[in-house]
């Protein structure tokens, strides 16, 4: 019984992702947009785990594992972004 | 509407929505963020299509590496000149829209026509599945990469090496690249590194080992290691260094060298080039390829010829 | 049915990529658009051939797998080129006839001359 | 019985993820959104993992699912922390620097 519900739960989670897109589009700050990638990562992991049970492909679990393993890369790359855009930059060397 | 169709349509709509934001959205930073989400969705789509090998590679590269590369490059532009970094100069025109629509129509026509064609009985995919048993491998993709189309993989590794050499030439005169250190001093980040580094190494080894029979292999394992390398660079655990080291150079050429050996070794034994040598030799070559892929992608991200250990 | 849906998705993404490539002046936007086009083609390559035992054909899968790695390495190289160009000419656009006013301020004339000198 | 329990876990997991999305859309500022999203979504993920391990029943898979959940927890924690720190630094900059 539960197995037959799996694709519909995936549909529901995908609808959640679509709603999350609205926040990324609206903003208003860069932090909000980064938050959307976090939502995408967590929800994608849930979707992938459900898919591995639905499609009976155990290897998809490793895809989910890799996604959570490397999910912080984007936040780490973003964290280095200057907080204020008018900060003076380094000079060209050429 | 049936559930699988609903999943496909929704996935497709989300992907197209993200692509639209990447391609025609107004701000560059937003486009990069949407591109990251695009990469994540791409990996879900590969899983949906039953291609876990591609999903594994795209989970590390499409979602992690490419997004981080774009973000860090954008950061460098902002650091050099914040006013010009975002400057767009977009010139929207009816002609561009027309060309875009025509291109989409062309791809749709080609794709939909190709779908209606009858399946050829002797096509490469079927032959691979038939002869795979002779090689003793269980994963047809590893078979194609290393046995049936090994020359392509050799060229692919060469392209990777060339991209590294090119990018090294481009960045050699610029100022020392101060890595985007996200505060190694933060205790949370330190914990993250301590947890993720061993796990990434473990998963890479696992993917390499099972790659002969199940989804996995050198490319996927190399992408995980490259992702971990980028994470180390971003946290300042590893730092870019300008003094080249012999070990790093060896790691860079190991993949090409191992494939060259796979090509030449059978000739020494009087067989044709690229003749199949057995599972052990493939695993050895794959291990070296993994090291090469991980090293070159990490160094491409660092933009410097070498790495050194950062001090916390 | 799955294949037809994803062929249409690939077509839409490819069209968007072509449009973005033509319209945007910023090199990074062009690179993003090129990456979109690549993803669309990868999708097409996997979806179009008939499946074998319910899984996609292994030959295009291997092609796409190498393609993904190639795409990221060439993108990294292109981004290195872009940063270099940005330092040299003061903006990250490769349109020679672009109106400097669109870029927010006039590009430094000296930098422009060097850039043109390189072109010859 | 196990099947029914799995179904309950699955549906409640979906509910919590839905709650996280609603919070992300409705709440007023970035800190509230971070709070709502990371907590509710990870609870949802845990419930989905529990449901799937009940469905599968093997210990090896159960451990893998729990490892994935723990890593997701760590990733959410670090990401939320970094985003919040960045937003805070930006706010301070805007207030002091104009």
């Amino acid at each position: 019984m539960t197995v037959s519900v799996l694709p519909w739960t995936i549909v529901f989670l995908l609808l959640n992702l679509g709603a999350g897109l609205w926040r990324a589009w609206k903003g208003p700050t860069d932090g909000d947009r980064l938050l959307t990638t976090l939502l995408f990562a967590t929800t994608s992991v849930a979707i992938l785990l459900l898919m591995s049970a639905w499609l009976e492909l155990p290897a998809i679990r490793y895809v989910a594992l890799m996604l959570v393993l490397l999910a912080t890369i984007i936040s780490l790359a973003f964290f280095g972004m200057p907080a204020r855009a008018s900060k003076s930059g380094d000079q060209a060397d050429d | 509407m049936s559930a699988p169709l609903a999943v496909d349509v929704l996935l497709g709509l989300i992907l197209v929505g993200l692509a639209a934001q990447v391609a025609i959205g107004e701000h560059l930073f937003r486009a990069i963020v949407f591109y990251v989400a695009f990469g994540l969705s791409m990996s879900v789509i590969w899983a949906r299509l039953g291609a876990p090998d591609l999903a594994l590679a795209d989970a590390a590269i499409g979602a992690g590496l490419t997004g981080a590369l774009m973000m860090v490059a954008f950061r460098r532009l902002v650091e050099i000149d914040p006013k010009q970094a975002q400057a767009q100069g977009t010139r929207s025109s009816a002609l561009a829209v027309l060309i875009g629509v025509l291109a989409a129509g062309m791809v749709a026509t080609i794709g939909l026509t190709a779908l209606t064609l009858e399946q050829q009985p002797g096509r490469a995919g079927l032959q691979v599945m038939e002869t795979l048993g002779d090689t003793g491998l269980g994963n047809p993709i590893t078979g194609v990469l290393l046995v049936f189309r090994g020359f392509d993989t050799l060229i692919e590794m060469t392209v990777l090496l060339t991209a590294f050499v090119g990018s090294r030439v481009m960045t050699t005169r610029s100022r020392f690249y101060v890595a985007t250190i996200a505060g190694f001093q933060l205790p949370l980040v330190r914990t993250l590194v301590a947890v993720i580094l061993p796990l990434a190494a473990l998963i890479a080894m696992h993917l390499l080992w099972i790659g002969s029979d199940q989804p996995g292999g050198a490319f996927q394992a190399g992408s995980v290691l490259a992702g971990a390398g980028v994470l180390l660079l971003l946290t300042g655990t590893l730092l870019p260094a300008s003094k080249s080291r012999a070990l790093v150079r060896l790691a860079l050429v190991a993949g090409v060298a191992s494939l060259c050996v796979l090509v030449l070794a059978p000739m020494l034994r009087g067989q044709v080039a690229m003749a199949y040598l057995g599972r052990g030799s493939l695993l050895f070559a794959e291990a070296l390829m993994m090291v090469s892929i991980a090293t070159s992608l990490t160094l491409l991200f660092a933009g410097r010829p070498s790495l050194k250990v950062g001090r916390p | 049915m799955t294949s037809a849906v994803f062929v249409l998705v690939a077509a839409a993404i490819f069209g968007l990529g072509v449009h973005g490539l033509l319209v945007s002046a910023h090199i990074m936007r062009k690179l993003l658009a090129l990456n979109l086009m690549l993803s669309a083609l990868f999708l097409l390559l996997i979806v179009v051939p008939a499946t074998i035992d319910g899984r996609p054909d292994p030959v295009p899968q291997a092609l796409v797998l190498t393609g993904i790695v190639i795409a990221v390495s060439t993108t990294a190289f292109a981004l290195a080129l872009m940063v270099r160009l940005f330092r040299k000419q003061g903006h990250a656009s490769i349109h020679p006839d672009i109106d400097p006013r669109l870029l927010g301020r006039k590009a430094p004339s000296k930098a422009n001359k060097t850039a043109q000198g390189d072109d010859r | 019985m196990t099947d029914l329990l799995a179904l309950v876990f699955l549906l409640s997991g979906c509910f919590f993820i839905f709650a996280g999305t609603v919070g992300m859309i409705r709440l007023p500022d970035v800190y509230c959104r971070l709070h709502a999203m990371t907590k509710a979504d990870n609870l949802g993920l845990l419930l989905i993992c529990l449901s799937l391990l009940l469905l599968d029943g093997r210990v090896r898979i159960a451990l893998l699912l729990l490892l994935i959940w723990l890593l997701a927890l760590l990733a959410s924690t670090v990401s939320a922390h970094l985003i919040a720190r960045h937003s805070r630094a930006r706010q301070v900059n805007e207030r002091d620097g104009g």
Side-chain angles (χ1 to χ4, degrees):
Chain A
M1 183 177 64
T2 309
V3 175
S4 61
V5 188
L6 288 177
W8 290 110
T9 52
I10 296 176
V11 169
F12 180 75
L13 293 182
L14 284 172
L15 287 173
N16 270 306
L17 278 189
L21 268 185
W22 180 81
R23 176 53 74 194
W25 177 70
K26 188 92 190 319
T29 65
D30 292 348
D32 289 299
R33 301 202 169 84
L34 252 282
L35 184 55
T36 316
T37 65
L38 197 57
L39 170 84
F40 259 78
T42 319
T43 316
S44 297
V45 169
I47 292 175
L48 284 169
L49 290 176
L50 290 170
M51 261 185 190
S52 88
W54 174 42
L55 302 171
E56 289 166 3
L57 280 173
I60 297 181
R61 290 198 193 100
Y62 289 106
V63 183
L65 183 58
M66 267 172 73
L67 271 191
V68 288
L69 200 66
L70 303 176
T72 36
I73 285 188
I74 293 301
S75 312
L76 285 169
F78 168 70
F79 187 72
M81 201 77 78
R84 203 174 55 176
S86 55
K87 211 170 139 188
S88 64
D90 56 347
Q91 295 299 305
D93 54 284
D94 317 87
Chain B
M1 193 184 225
S2 71
L5 186 63
V7 172
D8 293 345
V9 169
L10 268 177
L11 265 176
L13 282 179
I14 289 176
L15 202 68
V16 172
L18 287 169
Q21 287 295 321
V22 174
I24 53 188
E26 218 172 305
H27 301 280
L28 180 55
F29 177 78
R30 275 186 226 182
I32 295 171
V33 171
F34 279 110
Y35 186 77
V36 174
F38 180 86
L40 284 166
S41 315
M42 216 45 209
S43 141
V44 176
I45 283 186
W46 294 136
R48 165 71 189 99
L49 290 172
D53 291 274
L54 300 181
L56 282 169
D58 233 357
I61 288 178
L65 262 174
T66 315
L69 265 169
M70 295 272 182
M71 193 84 87
V72 168
F74 176 62
R75 213 202 93 151
R76 294 193 71 192
L77 296 193
V78 172
E79 280 170 355
I80 296 168
D81 189 345
K83 283 202 189 92
Q84 290 292 316
Q86 280 269 15
Q88 289 290 304
T90 310
R91 297 179 304 176
S92 188
S93 70
L95 186 64
V97 175
L98 183 70
I99 294 175
V101 171
L102 282 179
M106 185 186 75
V107 173
T109 317
I110 293 173
L112 291 176
T113 320
L115 277 182
T116 60
L117 294 179
E118 269 184 41
Q119 194 184 345
Q120 295 293 317
R123 70 196 172 101
L126 293 173
Q127 287 186 6
V128 166
M129 297 308 277
E130 271 169 29
T131 43
L132 191 68
D134 302 342
T135 61
L137 297 170
N139 183 1
I141 294 150
T142 307
V144 173
L145 281 175
L146 285 162
V147 183
F148 301 108
R149 307 282 308 175
F151 281 117
D152 287 358
T153 314
L154 172 62
I155 293 167
E156 195 272 332
M157 294 301 297
T158 320
V159 170
L160 199 57
L161 192 62
T162 316
F164 167 74
V165 172
S167 122
R168 188 186 160 176
V169 168
M170 287 322 294
T171 48
T172 184
R173 278 183 59 228
S174 60
R175 236 175 68 167
F176 184 75
Y177 174 19
V178 183
T180 53
I181 298 170
F184 188 66
Q185 66 278 10
L186 298 180
L188 254 182
V189 174
R190 224 178 298 161
T191 316
L192 181 85
V193 172
V195 172
I196 289 205
L197 190 60
L199 264 175
L202 189 67
I203 291 171
M205 290 306 149
H206 178 72
L207 285 178
L208 183 71
W209 183 253
I210 65 166
S212 314
D213 294 315
Q214 286 162 38
F219 285 90
Q220 292 88 335
S223 336
V224 187
L225 281 187
V230 167
L231 200 112
L232 292 184
L233 276 169
L234 284 171
T235 53
T237 320
L238 279 179
L239 289 176
S242 40
K243 192 163 171 255
S244 187
R245 290 181 188 175
L247 195 65
V248 174
R249 290 185 190 187
L250 207 61
L252 282 168
V253 297
V256 177
S258 70
L259 279 166
C260 285
V261 170
L262 272 194
V263 171
L264 295 176
M267 293 174 82
L268 295 177
R269 292 162 63 185
Q271 293 165 306
V272 288
M274 217 54 219
Y276 184 54
L277 286 172
R279 277 180 73 129
S281 66
L282 285 197
L283 194 64
F284 183 66
E286 277 201 293
L288 292 179
M289 272 166 68
M290 175 188 79
V291 171
S292 267
I293 292 168
T295 317
S296 20
L297 289 182
T298 311
L299 288 176
L300 272 169
F301 185 85
R304 301 257 85 195
S306 183
L307 298 170
K308 66 181 177 197
V309 179
R311 271 170 305 171
Chain C
M1 208 53 214
T2 305
S3 314
V5 170
F6 283 115
V7 164
L8 291 178
V9 168
I13 295 171
F14 191 84
L16 283 167
V18 169
H19 179 262
L21 187 66
L22 291 175
V23 156
S24 47
H26 200 294
I27 295 176
M28 206 186 276
R29 296 301 294 265
K30 282 183 190 293
L31 280 175
L32 284 168
L34 274 173
N35 270 305
L36 286 183
M37 287 163 69
L38 263 174
S39 295
L41 288 184
F42 290 161
L43 199 55
L44 203 68
L45 263 176
I46 295 299
V47 166
V48 164
T51 52
I52 298 170
D53 306 332
R55 304 281 292 277
D57 194 321
V59 177
Q61 275 200 63
L63 276 176
V64 170
L65 194 56
T66 51
I68 289 172
V69 177
I70 296 250
V72 68
S73 60
T74 45
T75 303
F77 178 44
L79 286 173
L81 280 174
M82 182 198 69
V83 172
R84 180 79 172 207
L85 187 74
F86 189 82
R87 283 180 190 280
K88 206 158 181 118
Q89 72 172 16
H91 60 86
S93 152
I94 46 170
H95 281 272
D97 56 340
I98 195 149
D99 186 350
R101 276 170 302 177
L102 282 177
L103 295 164
R105 64 145 206 223
K106 278 181 190 168
S109 55
K110 192 186 159 196
N112 260 348
K113 266 176 202 158
T114 350
Q116 281 165 8
D118 279 359
D119 285 342
R120 283 193 203 105
Chain D
M1 186 58 211
T2 319
D3 203 45
L4 195 68
L5 201 60
L7 186 67
V8 171
F9 276 140
L10 188 64
L11 293 183
S12 44
C14 283
F15 169 76
F16 278 107
I17 289 188
F18 177 65
T21 313
V22 169
M24 209 176 112
I25 291 173
R26 299 277 304 163
L27 288 176
D29 68 10
V30 64
Y31 308 107
C32 295
R33 287 179 208 133
L34 270 173
H35 173 83
M37 213 223 68
T38 46
K39 278 181 187 156
D41 268 24
N42 278 305
L43 185 55
L45 189 62
L46 173 67
L47 288 168
I48 287 178
C49 284
L50 283 179
S51 154
L52 288 174
L53 71 86
L54 281 179
L55 276 182
D56 193 278
R58 278 173 293 175
V59 179
R60 197 171 64 85
I61 303 301
L63 287 177
L64 181 62
L65 288 172
L66 285 179
L67 175 68
I68 289 175
W69 180 69
L70 282 174
L71 277 175
L73 207 58
L74 180 68
S76 287
T77 315
V78 175
S79 298
H81 181 68
L82 292 178
I83 293 172
R85 266 185 100 98
H86 186 270
S87 299
R88 181 87 189 125
R90 189 194 172 96
Q91 250 181 2
V92 169
N93 258 339
E94 271 169 11
R95 201 178 48 218
D96 298 349

